[in-house]
Amino acid sequence: MNIDLIEAAAQRLAGHVRRTPLLSSPFLDDIAGRRVLVKPECLQHTGSFKFRGGWSALSALPDDQRANGVIAFSSGNHAQGVAYAAKLHGVPAVIIMPSDAPKLKIDNTRALGAEVVLYDRAGEDRDALGARLAAERGLTLVKPFDDPQVIAGQGTAGLEIAEQAAELGVTHADVMVCCGGGGLTSGIALALEARAPDLRARPAEPQGFDDVKRSLATGTIQRNPALSGSICDAIITPQPGDMTFPIMNRLCGPGIAVTEDECLHAMALAFLRLKIVLEPGGAVGLASALFHGDEIEGDTVIAVASGGNVDPDMFQTALSRFL
Amino acid sequence: MNIDLIEAAAQRLAGHVRRTPLLSSPFLDDIAGRRVLVKPECLQHTGSFKFRGGWSALSALPDDQRANGVIAFSSGNHAQGVAYAAKLHGVPAVIIMPSDAPKLKIDNTRALGAEVVLYDRAGEDRDALGARLAAERGLTLVKPFDDPQVIAGQGTAGLEIAEQAAELGVTHADVMVCCGGGGLTSGIALALEARAPDLRARPAEPQGFDDVKRSLATGTIQRNPALSGSICDAIITPQPGDMTFPIMNRLCGPGIAVTEDECLHAMALAFLRLKIVLEPGGAVGLASALFHGDEIEGDTVIAVASGGNVDPDMFQTALSRFL
């Protein structure tokens, strides 16, 4: 796993993945007490950075293997990213989703061209189901984070951050990244190491689900005590990946854990000041930049806003409570 | 008024004005029955395209004249665009706002460094007040649309559209532009004439306030019967400008008028599918692209989403009613 893989992914992604801008607002600067730059990956195709990794993985496959199709497990953003990347490549995608996943996400994934296979969380073995389908049809599994080409795809966001920060004269800053399994965080960390070594990736997580923060603090992989119960559903994973953790452990600064209220508040401020839509899990990085300034170094902070696939009710809750 | 002025404005704006991306969603394509590309000027500094014209006008002034400061009349987006452009130039700005303007907009304009002078719509003569202040302090008036440098600044969005559409292989399309006085529409029309002659600017307006549509249809300037009473407050003007109308009359396709419900519906879809925040007046172009397809030509339509400075209550109304 190195910068060459990320550069190669960037070549494959060119013209297919959106180059998201860096946004800012003097009002957010005032709140944070330093300059705040926001990388809105909610504006990426399918509403999250996951399309980068999906496209990278699909485009890296040999033609004949890709033609057989791909398979992924996901109830959310990875599902849509892989489904749309497969559709644009003209190959089949099977997405295994829990039957109690939000109807909108199931409908979206289907509408993006994927065959959705539902399973019962309680009674069925997801992995066995996936393995059987993959074997029967010759499908290639696209993992959500612990895969070199997926990490490389997410890392292209880091290449863009390095370039865009340099254009603004920013060479020293903490880069707060919403972190689940660590694919985006480790990809960005690798890109920054090579292209902007004084920008430092730092994982941001919800309190109670700060496995990466604790893993970095101890130097060994730690698990979350719970696997559900957060509004930040997009970034809740049991533990950092076997592939992503060593990268984060080598390159990242300390993690920051934020409250759910801080996420909702950051969503409301992103609405008001940046005119972008964030989901709770996609607002964790911005929340850390705005409300945990005492844990951040430097006169500029960069926050990756990783996704915007939020239900209207949750969004309205954020606006009602914090505006 | 010609392309050279717009190109010169683009030079002055480079590095100061945000290059907004072109967004898209297959879900919006399905609704419109053609490819839909959205230029989200809500992501521009201060939440609307008005910062382009503000910066263009400020940066075109001789140094000594600019140093004295500028003055503008506005209750909304022009106020914030001029105020922030003046702040970044380090010169004073006086914004004359009605005393019954939304408190948030008054506060924002002040927070962006402007001196806000409130007047009573009923009892005071706004123009006389402005003229007195301008004379006393040597302030330069920045008009909202009928000014060559303002039109040139707004036209830089058209230069970007021409480039970005070409990158996507789009050379023929209607470009739907939210239209008030016509500064953005005429600026974009001039840029497209020079850089993408088969992209055609077309004004979009709210029903009942379709002065530009009627003016284009008759070839002479028509007035709106009312000056208030629309949720699309950002683009309600009495009539097209003396400078903007001849440009639009020469270059633009027919206007399209949309209902308020269509605006709210477009806002909801922009939230759901593009993850951007639009105000009603900023959603008029997208509403025309999505819901008035029978009035549009070609297999691609481009919609300029001109602004996102919307109150949370109005935004929640859009989500509640249409999602």
Side-chain angles (χ1 to χ4, degrees):
Chain A
M1 198 59 239
N2 57 45
I3 187 66
D4 295 340
L5 271 185
I6 301 176
E7 293 283 7
Q11 293 290 323
R12 298 197 305 280
L13 269 60
H16 303 288
V17 168
R18 199 165 278 146
R19 183 184 176 87
T20 52
L22 269 192
L23 304 180
S24 60
S25 161
F27 296 99
L28 298 185
D29 297 349
D30 285 346
I31 293 169
R34 52 170 61 86
R35 186 178 188 181
V36 180
L37 301 171
V38 178
K39 179 76 171 167
E41 281 295 301
C42 54
L43 303 179
Q44 190 53 261
H45 295 291
T46 71
S48 87
F49 72 96
K50 289 287 190 181
F51 180 74
R52 294 181 187 264
W55 186 279
S56 176
L58 268 284
S59 61
L61 293 175
D63 288 350
D64 56 344
Q65 186 180 348
R66 183 173 57 236
N68 286 336
V70 294
I71 187 168
F73 304 100
S74 167
S75 61
N77 290 337
H78 181 57
Q80 295 178 68
V82 170
Y84 194 46
K87 177 182 180 178
L88 295 177
H89 275 91
V91 304
V94 175
I95 310 291
I96 301 186
M97 305 182 78
S99 52
D100 59 354
K103 184 172 181 303
L104 180 67
K105 288 185 174 174
I106 295 175
D107 290 348
N108 281 353
T109 305
R110 282 205 178 107
L112 290 169
E115 176 186 343
V116 173
V117 176
L118 299 176
Y119 75 99
D120 177 0
R121 283 187 205 254
E124 287 185 89
D125 180 341
R126 187 189 76 164
D127 292 336
L129 175 62
R132 181 171 60 75
L133 285 170
E136 283 175 6
R137 307 197 200 172
L139 304 171
T140 301
L141 176 65
V142 181
K143 294 183 187 175
F145 49 86
D146 242 3
D147 175 285
Q149 296 299 356
V150 171
I151 295 171
Q154 323 304 27
T156 61
L159 296 180
E160 295 176 15
I161 290 170
E163 288 180 22
Q164 292 167 323
E167 287 168 10
L168 295 173
V170 174
T171 54
H172 286 65
D174 280 352
V175 180
M176 306 308 309
V177 187
C178 307
C179 189
L184 181 62
T185 309
S186 61
I188 288 175
L190 286 167
L192 297 180
E193 178 191 28
R195 296 288 174 264
D198 292 325
L199 300 184
R200 177 176 66 156
R202 298 185 61 183
E205 295 167 293
Q207 282 182 10
F209 301 87
D210 59 348
D211 52 305
V212 175
K213 178 185 179 187
R214 289 182 291 109
S215 299
L216 292 176
T218 59
T220 56
I221 288 181
Q222 305 292 317
R223 288 180 64 85
N224 286 320
L227 292 180
S228 62
S230 169
I231 60 172
C232 302
D233 55 284
I235 60 170
I236 301 306
T237 46
Q239 60 183 53
D242 290 334
M243 191 173 295
T244 59
F245 177 66
I247 300 168
M248 292 191 285
N249 200 34
R250 181 169 69 83
L251 295 174
C252 288
I256 295 181
V258 306
T259 67
E260 294 195 347
D261 274 5
E262 288 169 340
C263 290
L264 292 170
H265 194 174
M267 289 166 63
L269 290 168
F271 160 88
L272 186 66
R273 299 307 183 189
L274 301 175
K275 314 306 176 188
I276 59 174
V277 175
L278 299 184
E279 63 190 286
V284 170
L286 180 59
S288 72
L290 294 176
F291 306 123
H292 289 257
D294 56 342
E295 300 174 57
I296 291 173
E297 293 178 14
D299 56 8
T300 298
V301 62
I302 299 172
V304 180
S306 56
N309 290 314
V310 58
D311 288 332
D313 286 351
M314 179 70 75
F315 197 74
Q316 296 189 59
T317 297
L319 302 192
S320 298
R321 287 198 45 209
F322 289 99
L323 295 183
Chain B
M1 196 60 239
N2 57 45
I3 187 65
D4 295 340
L5 270 185
I6 301 176
E7 293 283 6
Q11 293 291 322
R12 298 196 305 279
L13 269 61
H16 304 288
V17 168
R18 199 165 277 146
R19 182 183 176 88
T20 53
L22 268 190
L23 304 179
S24 59
S25 162
F27 295 100
L28 298 185
D29 298 348
D30 285 347
I31 293 170
R34 50 170 63 85
R35 187 177 188 182
V36 180
L37 301 172
V38 178
K39 179 76 170 167
E41 281 295 301
C42 53
L43 303 178
Q44 191 53 261
H45 294 292
T46 70
S48 87
F49 73 97
K50 289 288 191 179
F51 180 74
R52 294 180 186 264
W55 186 279
S56 175
L58 268 284
S59 61
L61 293 175
D63 287 350
D64 55 344
Q65 185 180 348
R66 183 173 56 236
N68 286 337
V70 294
I71 187 168
F73 304 100
S74 167
S75 61
N77 290 336
H78 181 56
Q80 294 178 68
V82 170
Y84 194 45
K87 177 183 180 177
L88 294 177
H89 275 91
V91 305
V94 175
I95 310 290
I96 300 186
M97 304 182 78
S99 52
D100 60 353
K103 183 170 182 304
L104 181 67
K105 289 184 173 174
I106 295 173
D107 289 347
N108 280 353
T109 306
R110 283 206 177 106
L112 290 169
E115 177 186 344
V116 173
V117 176
L118 300 175
Y119 75 99
D120 177 0
R121 283 187 205 254
E124 286 186 88
D125 181 340
R126 185 189 78 163
D127 292 336
L129 175 63
R132 182 171 58 76
L133 285 170
E136 283 174 7
R137 307 198 199 171
L139 303 171
T140 301
L141 176 66
V142 181
K143 295 182 185 176
F145 50 85
D146 242 4
D147 175 283
Q149 296 300 356
V150 171
I151 295 171
Q154 323 303 28
T156 60
L159 296 180
E160 294 176 15
I161 290 170
E163 287 179 23
Q164 292 167 324
E167 287 168 9
L168 295 172
V170 175
T171 55
H172 286 65
D174 281 352
V175 180
M176 306 308 309
V177 187
C178 307
C179 189
L184 181 62
T185 309
S186 61
I188 288 176
L190 285 167
L192 297 180
E193 178 191 28
R195 295 289 174 265
D198 292 325
L199 300 184
R200 177 175 67 157
R202 297 185 60 182
E205 295 167 293
Q207 282 182 9
F209 301 87
D210 59 347
D211 52 306
V212 174
K213 178 184 178 188
R214 290 182 289 107
S215 299
L216 292 176
T218 58
T220 55
I221 288 181
Q222 306 291 317
R223 288 180 66 83
N224 286 320
L227 292 181
S228 63
S230 169
I231 60 172
C232 302
D233 55 285
I235 60 169
I236 302 305
T237 45
Q239 61 183 54
D242 292 333
M243 193 172 293
T244 60
F245 177 66
I247 299 168
M248 293 192 283
N249 199 35
R250 180 168 71 81
L251 295 174
C252 287
I256 294 181
V258 305
T259 67
E260 294 194 348
D261 273 6
E262 288 169 339
C263 291
L264 292 170
H265 195 174
M267 289 165 62
L269 289 167
F271 160 87
L272 186 66
R273 300 307 183 188
L274 301 175
K275 315 305 176 189
I276 59 174
V277 175
L278 300 184
E279 63 189 286
V284 170
L286 180 59
S288 71
L290 294 176
F291 307 124
H292 289 256
D294 56 342
E295 301 174 58
I296 291 173
E297 293 178 13
D299 57 7
T300 298
V301 62
I302 300 171
V304 180
S306 56
N309 289 314
V310 58
D311 288 332
D313 286 351
M314 178 70 75
F315 197 75
Q316 296 190 57
T317 297
L319 301 192
S320 298
R321 287 197 45 207
F322 290 99
L323 295 183

